[in-house]
Amino acid sequence: MGAAEPLRSVLWVKQQRCAVSLDPARALLRWWRSPGPGAGAPGAASRPKHLLVFINPFGGKGQGKRIYERKVAPLFTLASITTEIIVTERANHAKESLYELNIDKYDGIVCVGGDGMFSEVLHGLVGRTQRDAGVDQDQARAALVPSPLRIGIIPAGSTDCVCYSTVGTNDAETSALHIVVGDSLPMDVSSVHHNSTLLRYSVSLLGYGFYGDIIKDSEQKRWMGLVRYDFSGLKTFLSHHCYEGTVSFLPAQHTVGSPRDRKPCRAGCFVCRQSKRQLEEERKRSLYGLESAEEVEEWKVVCGQFLAINATNMSCACPRSPQGLSPAAHLGDGSSDLILIRKCSRFNFLRFLVRHTNQGDQFDFTFVEVYRVKKFQFVSKPAEDKDGSVRGRGKKRLGQLCSDRPPCCCAVSSSAWNCDGEVLSSPAIEVRVHCQLVRLFARGIEENSKQESHR
């Protein structure tokens, strides 16, 4: 590991634009006047003054409170940021608080914990925003309203995938400094529905089959601690179950990238900016009544037996898998990378999994398909036989199914969905990506050209 790159930002001091650089290797903070466009008014950075902080004292290794007090609180004090702190006492404590409190007085929400803690704050903030705006979250086609408040993540969990995928490191001080300087990073959120009911929101991984079985099995072994994930992972791999079903999806034609272009999402990402512009143009065209006709023409269908079905809104990188499940997935392009792993030998599936830990192309297998989508539906074989609501809608607008694949040889039981680490028991779901619905106190991963050239 080489020396960490300096953290840079722009701050406004007495109406003057100043560039700021923090060199972590030498603990050196420098700043200088840097006149630029829009002088006299804050630009990209809007520093928070008053924050609501949620601390999960139980997540990960139980170090959340200690990490905040020793590493984060002193930085907030130096930056003259005042805080109100809530130490959570039960599941959904943060979510319930965000529905009840007057959040207008805060400049942002900070969560200290792991991915589960972030998910809880996300659900509370998004849900509160929709309630205040009069939006029915149970309507799968509802246009959700973005929240004006940013979310800061202080990593204190076991994996911290969201933090790692948006900042590039799981370091509490680095995340705190992004909050202090007021960085802002827009991020997509997927809504997951079943039978006209919102199940959950997702920002990282929706996984059926392999990853769904892991999280479902690990929930029954909480007494094992964090090692339960490794144990359940090995057990699931050896079981080698595959599941029969149908995936229908609407390709994200507005995006300017592709899942295999090896162009990762980075700070100031052009792909995210341009994709959002083109999505807005697409929505303007839909106002002329063309949306329904376009959807009938564009929906694609794949069916068969799958070892895993994964949908990622971000790379899902973490220290164990530095490239993530989809290295070129983008945080704010209004799409999700849908990864289908068809039935294959246990050895080939192991080869696929190993690719997640190195620089190899994990999509370069005949049994792996990847699509960039803005909506998708899944229904398992048993649900298909019952002609459920998701399937029924698919019949009306999708027509003939599976014409290019042989019929599956046997029926298998259903798996569960892993939604950002939470179990969704319903196999049949509808998923829609909401472009840049939330913003984080972050700026994206910054990487120099030399590192990029080695990819």
Side-chain angles (χ1 to χ4, degrees):
M1 296 289 291
E5 289 292 314
L7 181 66
R8 299 183 178 87
S9 188
V10 175
L11 300 179
W12 292 82
V13 180
K14 296 181 179 180
Q15 303 298 313
Q16 293 186 347
R17 187 176 189 270
C18 297
V20 182
S21 173
L22 176 66
D23 188 342
R26 296 186 293 169
L28 177 64
L29 178 67
R30 299 185 301 130
W31 63 92
W32 58 94
R33 287 191 61 187
S34 177
S46 175
R47 293 188 59 214
K49 297 179 181 179
H50 189 47
L51 298 170
L52 176 60
V53 180
F54 290 101
I55 300 176
N56 179 2
F58 309 111
K61 298 179 180 179
Q63 298 293 310
K65 196 167 184 292
R66 179 176 177 271
I67 288 173
Y68 179 80
E69 291 173 349
R70 294 194 177 188
K71 298 183 176 182
V72 179
L75 292 174
F76 285 175
T77 300
L78 287 172
S80 298
I81 296 175
T82 59
T83 59
E84 290 185 31
I85 300 173
I86 296 178
V87 179
T88 58
E89 301 173 350
R90 61 187 183 279
N92 292 319
H93 187 174
K95 177 182 176 181
E96 294 166 2
S97 298
L98 287 169
Y99 268 86
E100 297 167 359
L101 294 173
N102 174 21
I103 60 175
D104 293 337
K105 61 181 179 178
Y106 304 111
D107 300 316
I109 313 295
V110 175
C111 57
V112 184
D115 293 328
M117 185 63 180
F118 170 77
S119 181
E120 191 174 319
V121 169
L122 172 81
H123 280 78
L125 188 58
V126 172
R128 171 65 180 271
T129 303
Q130 308 320 306
R131 188 191 70 179
D132 292 350
V135 176
D136 184 358
Q137 298 178 84
D138 287 329
Q139 295 297 322
R141 296 176 64 88
L144 301 185
V145 177
S147 171
L149 295 179
R150 286 167 287 177
I151 303 175
I153 307 173
I154 303 298
S158 54
T159 303
D160 299 308
C161 169
V162 177
C163 184
Y164 196 94
S165 296
T166 55
V167 178
T169 181
N170 288 337
D171 178 72
E173 288 98 334
T174 299
S175 293
L177 287 170
H178 280 298
I179 297 171
V180 167
V181 300
D183 283 329
S184 183
L185 178 69
M187 186 172 69
D188 298 338
V189 177
S190 289
S191 58
V192 185
H193 287 80
H194 172 70
N195 284 346
S196 299
T197 301
L198 174 70
L199 300 181
R200 286 190 72 83
Y201 292 111
S202 171
V203 297
S204 55
L205 170 68
L206 267 170
Y208 184 83
F210 182 70
Y211 289 103
D213 290 348
I214 289 176
I215 198 68
K216 186 176 181 179
D217 186 75
S218 67
E219 283 296 301
Q220 303 168 8
K221 299 177 174 61
R222 285 188 168 271
W223 56 271
M224 295 179 66
L226 296 179
V227 74
R228 69 184 184 272
Y229 296 115
D230 293 329
F231 178 86
S232 296
L234 177 60
K235 176 183 174 183
T236 302
F237 172 76
L238 294 175
S239 299
H240 201 60
H241 290 155
C242 62
Y243 301 92
E244 189 173 357
T246 300
V247 183
S248 53
F249 60 89
L250 188 62
Q253 297 182 348
H254 67 277
T255 58
V256 298
S258 72
R260 299 191 64 182
D261 61 14
R262 302 185 72 83
K263 295 179 180 178
C265 190
R266 292 295 180 255
C269 182
F270 169 79
V271 171
C272 291
R273 294 199 313 271
Q274 188 62 25
S275 296
K276 180 175 172 61
R277 291 194 192 102
Q278 295 186 183
L279 180 61
E280 290 172 347
E281 290 297 320
E282 187 178 283
R283 287 171 177 167
K284 289 178 182 178
R285 292 193 296 269
S286 73
L287 295 176
Y288 294 96
L290 301 176
E291 183 176 12
S292 297
E294 289 178 358
E295 289 187 4
V296 169
E297 296 172 359
E298 295 176 1
W299 279 85
K300 309 296 181 184
V301 180
V302 179
C303 71
Q305 289 184 320
F306 304 97
L307 283 168
I309 298 172
N310 301 327
T312 64
N313 284 18
M314 58 178 63
S315 67
C316 293
C318 65
R320 283 190 174 187
S321 178
Q323 304 304 310
L325 297 181
S326 186
H330 286 266
L331 294 166
D333 67 345
S335 75
S336 179
D337 285 355
L338 181 63
I339 308 165
L340 310 179
I341 300 94
R342 291 185 179 272
K343 182 179 179 180
C344 64
S345 68
R346 188 179 283 107
F347 174 71
N348 277 336
F349 189 55
L350 177 62
R351 292 172 59 211
F352 166 75
L353 294 176
V354 169
R355 289 279 179 92
H356 292 79
T357 65
N358 56 39
Q359 300 289 327
D361 181 2
Q362 58 251 54
F363 304 137
D364 190 23
F365 294 100
T366 57
F367 55 88
V368 177
E369 302 169 29
V370 58
Y371 307 93
R372 188 150 284 177
V373 307
K374 59 183 179 181
K375 300 177 185 178
F376 78 90
Q377 301 174 353
F378 174 77
V379 60
S380 64
K381 181 63 176 177
E384 288 180 14
D385 294 338
K386 295 177 183 178
D387 196 24
S389 61
V390 173
R391 167 72 165 168
R393 282 193 291 276
K395 278 184 176 180
K396 291 179 182 178
R397 64 183 177 190
L398 299 175
Q400 184 179 2
L401 302 180
C402 310
S403 59
D404 60 334
R405 295 285 176 182
C408 300
C409 59
C410 63
V412 290
S413 59
S414 296
S415 177
W417 283 94
N418 177 343
C419 181
D420 294 359
E422 297 293 330
V423 178
L424 299 183
S425 57
S426 172
I429 61 171
E430 299 178 68
V431 180
R432 177 184 176 187
V433 183
H434 301 268
C435 186
Q436 301 187 11
L437 186 65
V438 298
R439 291 180 298 145
L440 304 182
F441 282 108
R443 68 177 62 174
I445 298 174
E446 295 179 297
E447 199 159 9
N448 60 44
S449 59
K450 181 182 294 185
Q451 289 172 309
E452 289 286 348
S453 65
H454 287 128
R455 288 193 178 280

